Amino acid sequence: MSLPMAPMLRIAKHAITKTIKGDKFPLVLMLEPLLRCNLACPGCGKIDYPDAILNRRLSFQECMDAIEDCGAPAVSIAGGEPLLHREMAKIVKGYIERKKFVILCTNALLLKKKIGEYEPSPYFTWSIHLDGDKQMHDKAVDQDGTYDVALEAIKLAKEKGFRVQVNCTVFNDASPESLATFMDHMTSLDVEVTISPGYAYERAADQEHFLNREKTKNLFRDFFARGNGAKNWKFTNSPLFLDFLAGNRSYECTPWSMPLRTVFGWQKPCYLVGEGYVETFAELMEGTDWEQYGVGKYEKCANCMVHCGFEGTAAREGIVRPLEFMKVAMKGVKTDGPMAKDIDLSKQRRAVDVHATQVEQELEKIRISDPEGYRRATRAA
Ligand code: SF4
Ligand code: SF4
């Protein structure tokens, strides 16, 4: 089940034109229209905010403006849990009308109740959060039964004619065997998987289970070796990104390829690290000192190999070196032999703690713009 032809051609045309021009360009807008969630996963860095912030929502118009502002051909909507947003179906429809490819990421708890508000379209994909098999997933989200709910949701959405994929984050307690079995299962359901190692969010409750770069590369090698260099399975990821995860390529990230618009504004520098917010996409692109960020440059980036930082790099390599892309796509990911030399971390700058200041600034903005909402939220807290 590959991407439907029309959106695929639009995305490819956008990427090739911009790469030839040498522009910095976004491939996918990451949208967090709210931070509230109906789960509290220990590895999640997105939900640790006071109620006044968790109650905030991006409006329909703000969501449309975000895609017009950045010009990305696709949008990945996450959160929090997007299905808690009352205008979500209208937002998805608005993007489809603009011929944007929409990936709606959900933990699926509300999917059965809400699915009637959505219609199948070549421009629309449900992306179900599933961190491995039953045992792995229920542990990752810290709630028994969520795997079964997600599996039911996948079947229901497919029966109704929707395009469905799974969004799988890998932590350090995953075993290559269980990941391989999980992928066999997803392939038997005809569901593609977007896979990525987790990012060690500094605000996540559980800091024990994130992978470092060395462990990531070894784990993915062992895992892909069980699937004929990953060729047995269906990933939405680029083969070059999978090759990077297996340690065969040393990439620098491309943080602007998947910029984040959240309830605070555009997040600097990327989806994973929040070091400040600006009003417009132009301010993000022109006002961020990109040289300050990335592996080897900043301590918070040291272990990052996440798709939203490195898929853009893989996509660019696929365009400028198509033979490399073809080689990995046809032969599969190399799972033995020496790895590519990794980036030196010895000169990275120290991490700066900005979270408390950001929360104070945002609360102050809410107190001024919505005094009643602020009072309600702080009273409830
Ligand atoms: S479902 Fe997603 S947004 Fe909600 S707590 Fe888990 S990781 Fe965070
Ligand atoms: S390495 Fe790049 S994508 Fe990853 S956290 Fe740092 S800036 Fe963001």
Side-chain angles (χ1 to χ4, degrees):
M1 188 181 59
S2 58
L3 206 59
M5 195 52 92
M8 193 173 79
L9 288 177
R10 284 180 78 87
I11 293 170
K13 187 175 161 219
H14 176 85
I16 292 167
T17 318
K18 296 283 189 180
T19 303
I20 290 168
K21 282 188 181 167
D23 293 349
K24 280 191 174 75
F25 64 93
L27 270 175
V28 181
L29 163 67
M30 308 296 282
L31 187 83
E32 288 179 349
L34 79 172
L35 290 166
R36 172 81 67 192
C37 192
N38 48 4
L39 281 176
C41 307
C44 180
K46 301 284 175 179
I47 49 170
D48 178 34
Y49 287 101
D51 270 355
I53 291 175
L54 293 177
N55 289 347
R56 291 195 65 191
R57 306 282 184 266
L58 285 181
S59 68
F60 169 79
Q61 197 51 51
E62 285 172 319
C63 295
M64 297 306 114
D65 291 348
I67 204 116
E68 297 297 345
D69 207 8
C70 77
V75 51
S76 173
I77 307 174
E81 170 51 51
L83 295 186
L84 291 173
H85 193 304
R86 289 209 183 103
E87 288 192 297
M88 190 41 60
K90 185 178 167 196
I91 291 166
V92 167
K93 199 157 174 266
Y95 284 138
I96 293 172
E97 281 167 4
R98 285 163 178 76
K99 292 205 174 339
K100 302 293 181 180
F101 187 64
V102 188
I103 302 153
L104 182 51
C105 308
T106 172
N107 60 34
L109 295 186
L110 287 169
L111 192 136
K112 198 170 167 185
K113 185 172 162 204
K114 301 269 183 170
I115 198 164
E117 297 172 21
Y118 298 82
E119 283 174 21
S121 155
Y123 284 88
F124 179 55
T125 300
W126 289 105
S127 176
I128 312 291
H129 170 189
L130 209 50
D131 291 342
D133 62 20
K134 186 175 170 58
Q135 191 258 332
M136 290 156 77
H137 179 71
D138 285 357
K139 184 173 169 211
V141 306
D142 196 23
Q143 191 165 307
D144 286 345
T146 44
Y147 177 86
D148 294 332
V149 174
L151 223 58
E152 250 183 68
I154 289 171
K155 287 177 186 158
L156 175 69
K158 283 185 72 75
E159 269 164 32
K160 288 189 175 286
F162 288 94
R163 186 172 186 278
V164 183
Q165 67 190 37
V166 155
N167 170 13
C168 176
T169 304
V170 176
F171 298 95
N172 71 359
D173 50 357
S175 74
E177 295 79 14
S178 52
L179 282 172
T181 310
F182 170 69
M183 284 306 302
D184 288 342
H185 185 197
M186 291 302 115
T187 305
S188 74
L189 295 175
D190 192 24
V191 174
E192 281 182 55
V193 175
T194 302
I195 202 151
S196 180
Y199 174 79
Y201 289 106
E202 56 190 323
R203 304 300 307 169
D206 175 7
Q207 290 291 326
E208 301 277 293
H209 290 102
F210 293 112
L211 286 155
N212 65 28
R213 290 171 79 78
E214 212 47 50
K215 283 184 185 155
T216 301
K217 292 186 268 187
N218 286 315
L219 173 66
F220 276 90
R221 272 203 171 188
D222 290 352
F223 161 40
F224 292 152
R226 287 167 166 79
N228 193 18
K231 279 199 301 175
N232 288 1
W233 304 313
K234 296 178 175 188
F235 291 102
T236 62
N237 307 90
S238 150
L240 291 175
F241 175 72
L242 300 180
D243 211 37
F244 159 72
L245 289 182
N248 300 320
R249 280 157 211 280
S250 176
Y251 280 162
E252 290 197 8
C253 71
T254 311
W256 56 84
S257 62
M258 298 197 190
L260 174 65
R261 172 71 165 100
T262 172
V263 290
F264 305 135
W266 292 90
Q267 180 165 303
K268 290 167 72 168
C270 71
Y271 179 70
L272 306 157
V273 173
E275 303 265 310
Y277 296 89
V278 286
E279 294 281 311
T280 66
F281 180 68
E283 285 175 77
L284 171 74
M285 295 303 283
E286 287 151 28
T288 306
D289 183 357
W290 300 104
E291 280 310 305
Q292 293 284 312
Y293 302 101
V295 179
K297 296 175 186 164
Y298 191 33
E299 225 170 38
K300 289 185 189 174
C301 298
N303 286 315
C304 177
M305 294 182 78
V306 180
H307 67 305
C308 53
F310 293 88
E311 275 283 13
T313 313
R316 191 173 184 285
E317 188 178 18
I319 291 167
V320 297
R321 299 172 72 201
L323 291 180
E324 281 296 299
F325 179 93
M326 294 299 292
K327 192 178 87 185
V328 182
M330 290 168 74
K331 289 191 171 169
V333 174
K334 186 167 78 73
T335 55
D336 55 17
M339 291 190 185
K341 189 168 182 296
D342 210 342
I343 296 169
D344 174 23
L345 299 182
S346 64
K347 296 194 179 64
Q348 63 188 2
R349 71 187 170 97
R350 300 296 296 273
V352 181
D353 186 3
V354 290
H355 182 79
T357 318
Q358 279 173 359
V359 170
E360 266 173 43
Q361 284 168 353
E362 291 307 319
L363 286 175
E364 185 57 14
K365 278 194 223 161
I366 296 170
R367 198 181 61 75
I368 293 165
S369 65
D370 178 14
E372 183 44 35
Y374 178 83
R375 266 195 295 277
R376 269 201 314 274
T378 42
R379 259 202 314 270

